Amino acid sequence: MSRNDGEQITSYDHGRGPLAGVRVLELAGLAPGPFAGMMLADHGAEVLRVDRVATVAKAGDRPRTDVMDRGKRTIGLDLKSPDGVAAFKDLATRADVVIEVFRPGVAERLGIGPADLAAVNDRLIYGRMTGWGQDGPLAPTAGHDIDYIAVAGVLSTLGREGGKPTPPINILGDFAGGGLMLAYGVLLALFERERTGRGKVIDAAMVDGAATLFAMFYHTAQAGFWGPRGTNLLDTGAPMYDTYETADGRYVAVGSLEPAFWAELVARTGLTDLPSRDDRANWPAIRERLAAAFRTKTRAEWEEIFDGSDACVSPVLDMSEAAGHPHNVARGSFVEVEGVVQPAPAPRLIGSGRGDLAQATRLHDLTSWGLPDDRAKTLRAAGVLA
């Protein structure tokens, strides 16, 4: 992917963005932790990912191609070793934020819990990312995204009428309810630290975050405006908010909710004799007519028909197509970094820079993080640091 001027984007300058100067220690973990770190690095934070010694030693100096590691640097540290714990505490003295992704109590047993690190840096913000949170009966148990959104009441709402609940991959628990909420919590804590001068502990639980994302639907359900799964205006219950197959086996997305948008859809499909959509009893017949109409032309043909209209009809693009869509190209919504096409940082702060998007590499010189070169050499020789 290239920018509009044709120049391929390979990296951005260090030290740019609204979070320039903020230092983050990210303890290696699965999706939500690295995603939170990516969100911070995208906007200028200096993120040092602390992984297992064996993992980093095996990778050597090869760049990490995982998009969620972009803009970061990595080291391996044995946190089961007293020397490794001492080294981590030294790193924490130069950090603003720690991202920790263990089960409750694990960090404390290692000697790097919030109290341990506050003793060496009382301005440190300690972000804890878990599925169930730091307390409650489920806190010590394992789980995955599907479990957290199930207990949050979210999963029950997802799917078509008459079908079973359908998990939206792991976007709602891990990423939206987890990593994004943790990044938001870090920003809140940084803001509060400007007033108090002290750090904070963030208890970011995916079950809490997923429930928060559904705040509107909790209200509408209790008010009697939201019914069973797949029967509502926004969950495929209504024919004017659904996807339809085209002649070439692809799909278009229809979101013609408002009357003016619906009128545009009717005019451009030629279905001017559709029954009134205001009567829910007509929805099955309207859906059948729409489905039959969309199957008469290819997705590209429908794109041309609806181009520039307010009918709210869009092609359903797969991930290999999205980066090439004219709108995404014009906005630079995707970038290519060293051969890997990926979403550009979001949101955009107009007039502010962005962080470095280069693939993560090992950090060899830890002097600026409080580990002199001679000590780092000793730790490497002992197998504590990679």
Side-chain angles (χ1 to χ4, degrees):
M1 195 65 187
S2 300
R3 290 188 295 191
N4 293 338
D5 58 10
E7 178 184 353
Q8 187 187 60
I9 298 174
T10 55
S11 67
Y12 291 90
D13 295 335
H14 288 287
R16 295 178 59 192
L19 295 180
V22 174
R23 285 186 155 190
V24 180
L25 281 174
E26 178 196 304
L27 287 160
L30 298 178
F35 183 71
M38 183 199 81
M39 293 294 293
L40 300 175
D42 279 354
H43 295 284
E46 181 182 350
V47 180
L48 180 60
R49 178 182 169 92
V50 180
D51 215 324
R52 296 175 183 270
V53 171
T55 300
V56 174
K58 182 178 179 181
D61 285 328
R62 293 195 307 274
R64 297 178 66 102
T65 57
D66 189 328
V67 170
M68 290 191 295
D69 287 331
R70 67 187 183 190
K72 303 176 185 177
R73 297 296 175 261
T74 66
I75 61 170
L77 200 58
D78 182 3
L79 294 177
K80 294 184 179 179
S81 157
D83 288 338
V85 170
F88 187 82
K89 287 181 176 179
D90 287 340
L91 298 175
T93 64
R94 304 290 182 94
D96 296 286
V97 180
V98 166
I99 293 177
E100 178 254 296
V101 292
F102 305 141
R103 290 198 202 188
V106 171
E108 284 81 356
R109 290 195 293 273
L110 291 172
I112 57 170
D116 301 306
L117 300 189
V120 299
N121 181 359
D122 65 1
R123 288 177 54 82
L124 187 69
I125 293 162
Y126 198 106
R128 316 197 81 167
M129 179 80 265
T130 59
W132 301 119
Q134 296 298 313
D135 53 18
L138 293 175
T141 67
H144 278 294
D145 178 290
I146 193 170
D147 305 299
Y148 311 136
I149 67 172
V151 171
V154 171
L155 183 57
S156 68
T157 69
L158 306 177
R160 291 189 177 271
E161 183 180 13
K164 63 181 183 178
T166 304
I169 51 179
N170 62 331
I171 197 74
L172 281 179
D174 281 352
F175 294 106
L180 190 60
M181 288 291 185
L182 176 57
Y184 174 57
V186 167
L187 299 183
L188 294 177
L190 285 169
F191 186 78
E192 184 174 4
R193 192 177 71 176
E194 291 298 306
R195 296 198 306 267
T196 67
R198 300 184 66 84
K200 275 283 183 185
V201 179
I202 303 165
D203 179 3
M206 295 175 221
V207 65
D208 299 344
T212 298
L213 292 169
F214 266 59
M216 182 184 85
F217 302 101
Y218 272 96
H219 166 71
T220 54
Q222 292 172 63
F225 299 124
W226 195 261
R229 176 174 60 253
T231 65
N232 303 282
L233 188 64
L234 302 176
D235 64 356
T236 74
M240 48 278 197
Y241 202 87
D242 205 347
T243 58
Y244 293 91
E245 187 176 8
T246 58
D248 51 349
R250 298 187 174 189
Y251 292 86
V252 293
V254 172
S256 309
L257 292 177
E258 291 78 4
F261 302 161
W262 179 250
E264 186 78 12
L265 170 75
V266 167
R268 297 208 178 209
T269 56
L271 299 176
T272 55
D273 60 341
L274 284 175
S276 172
R277 68 174 195 167
D278 295 334
D279 185 348
R280 291 177 65 105
N282 292 331
W283 284 7
I286 294 173
R287 188 189 307 277
E288 187 175 334
R289 293 282 305 281
L290 281 174
F294 280 116
R295 282 196 294 267
T296 64
K297 292 179 173 60
T298 67
R299 191 186 72 182
E301 289 173 320
W302 285 117
E303 283 187 77
E304 186 174 350
I305 289 170
F306 286 103
D307 184 42
S309 81
D310 276 344
C312 301
V313 176
S314 302
V316 177
L317 305 178
D318 62 34
M319 286 187 285
S320 67
E321 297 174 302
H325 189 276
H327 182 81
N328 294 334
V329 171
R331 281 186 56 79
S333 299
F334 291 82
V335 296
E336 181 177 325
V337 181
E338 297 169 18
V340 180
V341 176
Q342 55 199 267
R348 307 177 187 195
L349 271 68
I350 304 303
S352 294
R354 300 194 285 206
D356 179 17
L357 297 190
Q359 295 172 342
T361 56
R362 283 208 295 182
L363 181 63
H364 292 277
D365 184 4
L366 288 165
T367 304
S368 66
W369 279 88
L371 281 183
D373 191 52
D374 56 348
R375 186 169 171 218
K377 287 180 179 178
T378 300
L379 292 172
R380 290 190 186 100
V384 174
L385 173 68

